[in-house]
Amino acid sequence: MSTSGFVQDKEMRPGWNRPPLIEPDGEGEVLELAMGPHHPSTHGVFRMDVALDGERVIRLKPVFGYLHRNHEKLAEGMSYLGSMPFTDRLDYMCPLTNNWAYALAVEKLTGQEVPERAEYLRVILGELTRVVNHASAIGFLIQEMGASGTPLMYAFKEREKILDLFEALTGARMMVNYMRFGGCRVDATPAWLDAVRKVVAGLPKFADEYENLLRGNEILMARTQGVGILRPELAVNAGVTGPMLRASGINYDIRKVDSYGIYSRFKFRVPLGEHWDIYDRFMIRLLEMRESFGILEQALKDIPGGPVMDPKAKLRGFRPKPGEAYGRIEGPKGELGFYLISDGGPNPYRYRIRPPSLINLTILEDMCLGQNVADVVLIFGSVDIVLGEVDR
Amino acid sequence: MKTVEEIKAAIEAAVPGAGVEIVLNPSVSAQHSLRLASAHAFEVATFLRDDVELSLDFLSNATGVDWPDKEVAEKVKVTRSVTRTLDGVEQQVEETVEETQKRVVPGCLEAVYHLFSVSKGHGPVVIRMKTVNRTDQVQLPSLTPVWRSAEFQEREIFDLFGIVFTGHPDLRRLLMWEEFKDYPMRRDYVEPDDFEYEPTAHDEVLKRAQEHRAKLAAAEMGQEGATA
Amino acid sequence: MDDGLKIELGKQGIFVTTIEELYNWGRRSSIWPMQFGLACCAIEMIATTMARYDLARFGAEVFRPSPRQADLMIISGTVTKKMAPQVVRLYNQMAEPRYVIAMGACAISGGPFKQGYNVLKGIDRYIPVDVHIPGCPPRPEALLHAFITLQKKIDGQHLTGEDRPRHLNPEAPGEFSVPVPGEHDLEPTSNKGVWPVPITIR
């Protein structure tokens, strides 16, 4: 590749949050290294051009685009419902929340109502996805620390149980294509709800086991405490959302702020971090998993009967009126939003995905400057990205 | 949370001559937006972030939209002087005729920003900026110094649409490779021809496959003609 | 030698085989894949190596990150035009004997993203592929089936003669040309030696 990212900052207006400039200490040369796109500890095909002074990182420029599959251009040629299967493939660890965000954006555009049972099902599936995502994210982080996959095995054991539930309801393990504009595609049987209750009853024991295995581990604490600190005002200014923002102490959870769906009916707490480092992000994900168990129990207790699809919903010939809408949800990785412009036709005029992983990476350089190169891998793992969402 | 009119009034009070206009959103979501003129957009953005009441410190989404040139057919009343014979005498008379005239409304590229407030918890406030045209005057002021989260998103708009953001610290392509020449998300982008083999082609793909084969056949005939 | 005699001799403690069988048995029982996940199929690949569908019991004991130490490259996920040169370079760096499994619809032919301007319509345009698995994503059982198919293919390889495998054939190509990113597309769009453009007969 021709250019590296090390262009000089051009004339800048003063006073903005630029990354600090670190000078090399004069002994030896500066080594420019490309980490990726094939590297044993990246979450996919992602490259970082780092400049090293010994072991310290001086500059870091991320390079994306290795998985750019142009969802946005494809959606302009397809109907609204036709891009629903493609939203599964955005953040492929959590397909159900992607579906939900897109359905929410279209429902904001057209003003459709969603029946109660469908809302409860959406919450149940969304929180199950959150549990899967947080467990896997912790598992991948610990694997990059050198644990050779043992916590990941525990996480994937639970994930398999939850994927069995998804397959029983929607027909597919991963690419579910389940939510529709105005509800869900298929209703859940009482037998399925009993199976979910059984799995959810076993989840707190899994979380206890996971936490006891990891929380007091010396290597984990030595490598993650005090590393990769992200100041709160910088986090807000850089558009960081999700567990990363809450680990920097900012109380902003879109489930509480926007109260989309029926989240106002559930009681759950929002854990916040105090030290703003990797250890806080790891603990926040564990604690959020436990809060999700609470939401799941409440939802499974209260789920009513009724239809799962808005009876007035138009399935064929769906042409929303001209206008635009921005709908967002609290996905497991951050704020996942969809911005749709409709011109009255069957295809969207502009379909934009607001990717939480890409925008959380804006601040990667600031967090890694001055740290050792071995910590770069951990800091990158604690951001918890998925390349399908970064590159779309 | 203020309405769009109140925000417009607050902006015009703080930054005189800002050139703000309201763009109504006809859909149910009622997320109306404010269109800013490029000249003072940076001051307006700084005001939106630093104002105590609005406190829009969180830029959630920045994206681009392509509005290509549109051909508009209008019925226009045209007054022309025509030679007519009245009472046997040739005279110049003014006549008003209704004609259909076609004119091209020049297109533009647009950047749309969605702002929220983390400290106050309200939003979204939508602001937009338009370029002058789609060909050579495609500059807009960069809002990266105000909100850092615009850094990668403006690079992506530059990569896919071609809007040049002046004042951006590092404006390079983000998703496509550096040697790439086109702006793929524009409406008039032509995709490269790599559909050599399509087993069940139909509609558009069939047309392109036939054109591709015709081109290959012509190239082969040209080669044979050269060697013969 | 017929099987009855083999079994009788085996009962006496004499084991009869051919060098070809032994050689192929050793190779197919210890295929070590390379840690190379591109997109969504990579998650199913990881799930295949986890406790429920254990890939290690078929011989894929460890996933080596370095291409020099790996035998198998499972192309799991969409190959984009930006990534294609790196994939071909990694394949060139693998030591013979090496195999490729194209996992998922995207690796076979571009998949659901076939209309993409940045999507390579199938990785077999540039490197030879041994097994293709359809699916989006293919289930872990499908990946196990592909692995067993590859093992059967290796079992059936003859060490001498016209159809001997590449690493025993000094005239077979060892390196495949790496495409270069051009102004609108990759140059060349495909490797004519590896992927002869098929002619449709209608």
Side-chain angles (χ1 to χ4, degrees), chain A residues 246-271:
Chain A
R246 295 191 279 279
S248 290
I250 307 277
N251 186 355
Y252 193 71
D253 187 330
I254 300 175
R255 294 177 289 177
K256 296 262 192 207
V257 171
D258 277 359
S259 292
Y260 58 93
I262 45 167
Y263 269 110
S264 46
R265 298 189 200 175
F266 300 111
K267 277 180 48 169
F268 61 100
R269 296 175 295 179
V270 177

Side-chain angles (χ1 to χ4, degrees), chain A residues 63-378:
Chain A
V63 181
F64 325 106
Y66 291 101
L67 198 59
H68 179 54
R69 300 183 284 196
N70 58 10
H71 283 85
E72 306 189 352
K73 187 101 188 168
L74 281 175
E76 287 175 11
M78 284 191 296
S79 62
Y80 283 87
L81 194 55
S83 359
M84 184 61 99
F86 285 85
T87 58
D88 289 328
R89 284 136 178 103
L90 273 177
D91 174 359
Y92 35 82
M93 295 295 299
C94 342
L96 278 158
T97 44
N98 302 349
N99 282 352
W100 191 358
Y102 183 46
L104 194 81
V106 174
E107 282 153 17
K108 260 207 171 118
L109 183 65
T110 56
Q112 277 175 318
E113 301 253 323
V114 181
E116 266 208 49
R117 189 173 166 90
E119 291 277 18
Y120 272 90
L121 274 177
R122 281 183 177 183
V123 167
I124 292 173
L125 292 168
E127 294 304 318
L128 281 173
T129 313
R130 198 180 304 269
V131 168
V132 161
N133 177 273
H134 284 325
S136 310
I138 296 173
F140 282 121
L141 173 70
I142 312 282
Q143 188 183 17
E144 285 164 16
M145 223 175 276
S148 273
T150 305
L152 192 61
M153 287 257 187
Y154 281 64
F156 268 64
K157 187 177 65 150
E158 288 310 305
R159 180 176 178 260
E160 290 289 338
K161 289 189 194 144
I162 296 178
L163 286 186
D164 278 344
L165 294 173
F166 289 166
E167 188 177 6
L169 179 64
T170 67
R173 284 159 52 101
M174 270 170 70
M175 308 307 177
V176 288
N177 186 15
Y178 180 65
M179 311 275 179
R180 293 285 180 268
F181 314 131
C184 304
R185 182 167 58 98
V186 195
D187 198 353
T189 59
W192 185 80
L193 287 170
D194 283 334
V196 177
R197 286 188 186 103
K198 227 185 345 190
V199 170
V200 169
L203 282 176
K205 194 159 94 63
F206 155 70
D208 285 336
E209 196 183 34
Y210 214 38
E211 202 174 322
N212 288 337
L213 181 70
L214 294 172
R215 192 173 54 173
N217 187 304
E218 282 179 51
I219 301 180
L220 176 69
M221 296 209 297
R223 280 201 76 179
T224 58
Q225 285 179 341
V227 175
I229 293 188
L230 177 61
R231 291 181 346 257
E233 50 290 336
L234 187 57
V236 172
N237 191 263
V240 173
T241 48
M244 261 191 87
L245 182 66
R246 295 191 279 279
S248 290
I250 307 277
N251 186 355
Y252 193 71
D253 187 330
I254 300 175
R255 294 177 289 177
K256 296 262 192 207
V257 171
D258 277 359
S259 292
Y260 58 93
I262 45 167
Y263 269 110
S264 46
R265 298 189 200 175
F266 300 111
K267 277 180 48 169
F268 61 100
R269 296 175 295 179
V270 177
L272 297 175
E274 282 178 341
H275 300 281
W276 318 333
D277 54 12
I278 302 182
Y279 191 71
D280 269 359
R281 286 173 214 140
F282 156 76
M283 281 307 296
I284 294 280
R285 292 198 170 99
L286 274 176
L287 293 170
E288 277 191 10
M289 242 178 19
R290 289 192 188 274
E291 296 300 322
S292 291
F293 300 157
I295 301 178
L296 278 168
E297 280 162 17
Q298 292 170 47
L300 284 167
K301 205 162 52 119
D302 297 335
I303 180 168
V308 283
M309 192 69 192
D310 180 18
K312 293 197 295 278
K314 203 162 182 231
L315 290 173
R316 298 198 188 282
F318 180 72
R319 284 166 195 258
K321 295 207 182 57
E324 58 178 53
Y326 178 69
R328 61 182 192 160
I329 64 158
E330 174 77 23
K333 302 215 156 52
E335 171 188 332
L336 175 63
F338 280 80
Y339 173 58
L340 293 162
I341 300 184
S342 154
D343 59 351
N347 306 348
Y349 184 81
R350 175 82 176 101
Y351 166 95
R352 151 83 178 172
I353 305 161
R354 188 257 183 213
S357 306
L358 175 69
I359 299 175
N360 287 355
L361 279 180
T362 311
I363 212 67
L364 182 69
E365 184 174 3
D366 291 54
M367 286 198 289
C368 291
L369 288 176
Q371 311 270 353
N372 291 337
V373 68
D375 294 331
V376 167
V377 172
L378 285 184

Side-chain angles (χ1 to χ4, degrees), chain C residues 44-58:
Chain C
E44 288 292 55
M45 187 173 75
I46 295 173
T48 314
T49 62
M50 289 287 140
R52 191 187 262 199
Y53 311 97
D54 187 13
L55 190 59
R57 55 196 161 124
F58 293 98

Side-chain angles (χ1 to χ4, degrees), chain B residues 63-65 109-113 127-129 140 157 163 165:
Chain B
T63 184
V65 191
L109 300 163
E110 195 176 27
V112 183
Y113 296 81
I127 58 179
R128 320 171 90 95
M129 290 193 281
L140 281 180
I157 303 175
I163 303 181
F165 288 95

